[in-house]
Coordinates of all heavy atoms in Angstrom, one line a residue:
A6 N 61.5 -1.9 73.5 CA 61.5 -0.5 74.0 C 63.0 0.1 74.0 O 63.2 1.2 73.5 CB 60.8 -0.3 75.3
K11 N 67.3 3.6 71.7 CA 68.6 3.8 71.2 C 68.7 4.1 69.7 O 69.6 4.8 69.2 CB 69.5 2.5 71.5 CG 69.8 2.3 72.9 CD 70.5 1.0 73.2 CE 70.8 0.8 74.6 NZ 71.4 -0.6 74.9
G45 N 62.7 8.5 71.5 CA 62.7 8.1 72.9 C 61.5 8.3 73.6 O 61.5 8.1 74.9
L63 N 52.6 3.9 70.4 CA 53.6 3.3 71.2 C 54.3 4.3 72.2 O 54.6 5.4 71.6 CB 54.7 2.7 70.3 CG 55.6 1.5 70.8 CD1 54.7 0.3 71.2 CD2 56.5 1.1 69.7
C100 N 57.3 -6.7 74.9 CA 58.2 -7.7 75.5 C 59.6 -7.3 75.3 O 60.0 -6.5 74.4 CB 58.0 -9.1 74.9 SG 56.3 -9.7 75.0
N127 N 38.5 21.3 44.7 CA 38.8 22.0 43.5 C 38.5 23.5 43.5 O 39.0 24.3 42.8 CB 38.1 21.4 42.2 CG 38.6 20.0 42.0 OD1 39.8 19.7 42.2 ND2 37.7 19.1 41.6
T137 N 33.3 22.5 56.8 CA 32.1 22.5 57.6 C 31.7 21.0 58.0 O 30.9 20.8 58.9 CB 30.9 23.0 56.8 OG1 30.8 22.5 55.5 CG2 31.1 24.6 56.7
P141 N 30.1 19.7 63.1 CA 29.4 18.9 64.1 C 30.2 18.2 65.1 O 29.8 18.1 66.3 CB 28.6 17.9 63.2 CG 28.6 18.5 61.8 CD 29.9 19.3 61.7
K145 N 29.9 19.1 69.1 CA 29.7 18.0 70.1 C 30.8 18.0 71.2 O 30.5 17.8 72.4 CB 29.7 16.6 69.4 CG 28.4 16.2 68.8 CD 28.4 14.8 68.3 CE 27.1 14.4 67.7 NZ 27.2 13.0 67.3
D165 N 33.6 8.7 53.3 CA 32.4 9.2 52.7 C 31.2 9.3 53.7 O 30.4 10.2 53.4 CB 31.9 8.2 51.6 CG 32.9 8.2 50.4 OD1 33.6 9.2 50.2 OD2 32.9 7.2 49.6
D172 N 43.9 11.0 68.1 CA 44.9 11.6 69.0 C 44.3 12.1 70.3 O 44.2 13.3 70.5 CB 45.7 12.7 68.3 CG 46.9 13.0 69.1 OD1 47.3 12.4 70.0 OD2 47.7 14.0 68.6
S185 N 32.7 27.3 77.7 CA 32.2 28.7 77.6 C 32.4 29.2 76.2 O 33.2 28.6 75.4 CB 33.1 29.6 78.6 OG 34.4 29.7 78.1
I226 N 29.9 40.5 67.0 CA 31.1 40.5 67.9 C 31.9 39.2 67.9 O 33.1 39.2 67.8 CB 30.7 40.9 69.3 CG1 30.0 42.4 69.3 CG2 31.8 40.8 70.3 CD1 29.5 42.8 70.7
Q248 N 60.9 29.0 62.2 CA 62.0 28.6 63.2 C 62.4 27.2 63.1 O 63.5 26.8 63.2 CB 61.5 28.9 64.7 CG 61.4 30.5 65.0 CD 60.8 30.7 66.3 OE1 60.4 29.8 67.1 NE2 60.6 32.0 66.6
A308 N 74.6 27.3 40.1 CA 75.0 26.1 39.3 C 73.9 25.0 39.3 O 73.4 24.7 40.4 CB 76.3 25.6 39.8
P316 N 68.2 16.6 39.6 CA 69.0 17.8 39.4 C 68.6 18.9 40.5 O 67.5 19.0 40.9 CB 68.4 18.3 38.1 CG 67.2 17.7 37.8 CD 67.2 16.4 38.6
T328 N 85.9 44.3 52.7 CA 84.9 45.2 53.2 C 83.5 44.5 53.2 O 82.8 44.5 54.2 CB 84.8 46.5 52.4 OG1 86.0 47.1 52.4 CG2 83.7 47.5 53.0
H329 N 83.2 43.9 52.1 CA 81.9 43.1 52.0 C 81.9 42.0 53.1 O 80.9 41.7 53.7 CB 81.8 42.5 50.6 CG 80.4 42.0 50.3 ND1 80.2 40.9 49.5 CD2 79.2 42.4 50.8 CE1 78.9 40.6 49.5 NE2 78.3 41.5 50.2
R330 N 83.0 41.3 53.3 CA 83.1 40.2 54.2 C 82.8 40.8 55.7 O 82.1 40.1 56.4 CB 84.5 39.6 54.1 CG 84.7 38.4 55.0 CD 86.1 37.9 54.9 NE 86.5 37.4 53.6 CZ 86.4 36.2 53.2 NH1 86.0 35.2 54.0 NH2 86.7 35.8 51.9
R336 N 75.8 39.5 60.4 CA 74.4 39.5 59.9 C 74.0 38.2 59.3 O 74.8 37.4 59.0 CB 74.3 40.6 58.8 CG 74.6 42.0 59.3 CD 74.8 42.9 58.0 NE 73.7 43.0 57.1 CZ 73.8 43.6 55.9 NH1 74.9 44.2 55.6 NH2 72.7 43.6 55.2
L350 N 56.9 31.2 52.4 CA 56.0 31.1 51.2 C 55.3 29.7 51.3 O 54.1 29.6 50.9 CB 56.8 31.2 49.9 CG 57.4 32.6 49.6 CD1 58.1 32.6 48.2 CD2 56.2 33.7 49.5
S388 N 60.2 35.7 31.1 CA 60.4 36.4 29.9 C 60.0 35.7 28.7 O 59.8 36.3 27.6 CB 62.0 36.8 29.8 OG 62.7 35.5 29.7
T411 N 50.2 40.0 48.0 CA 49.7 41.3 48.5 C 48.7 41.0 49.7 O 48.8 41.7 50.7 CB 49.0 42.1 47.4 OG1 49.9 42.4 46.4 CG2 48.5 43.5 48.0
L415 N 53.3 40.6 51.7 CA 54.7 40.3 51.3 C 55.1 41.1 50.1 O 54.2 41.4 49.2 CB 54.8 38.8 50.9 CG 54.8 37.8 52.0 CD1 54.9 36.4 51.4 CD2 55.9 38.0 53.0
K455 N 56.0 49.9 44.6 CA 57.4 49.8 44.0 C 57.6 48.5 43.4 O 58.3 48.4 42.3 CB 58.4 50.1 45.2 CG 59.8 50.2 44.7 CD 60.7 50.5 45.9 CE 62.2 50.5 45.5 NZ 63.1 50.8 46.7

Side-chain angles (χ1 to χ4, degrees):
K11 290 177 180 176
L63 205 59
C100 301
N127 296 321
T137 53
K145 278 186 179 181
D165 290 341
D172 194 6
S185 68
I226 296 176
Q248 287 171 6
T328 302
H329 190 215
R330 186 183 296 266
R336 295 163 58 186
L350 289 182
S388 62
T411 302
L415 286 180
K455 183 178 178 181

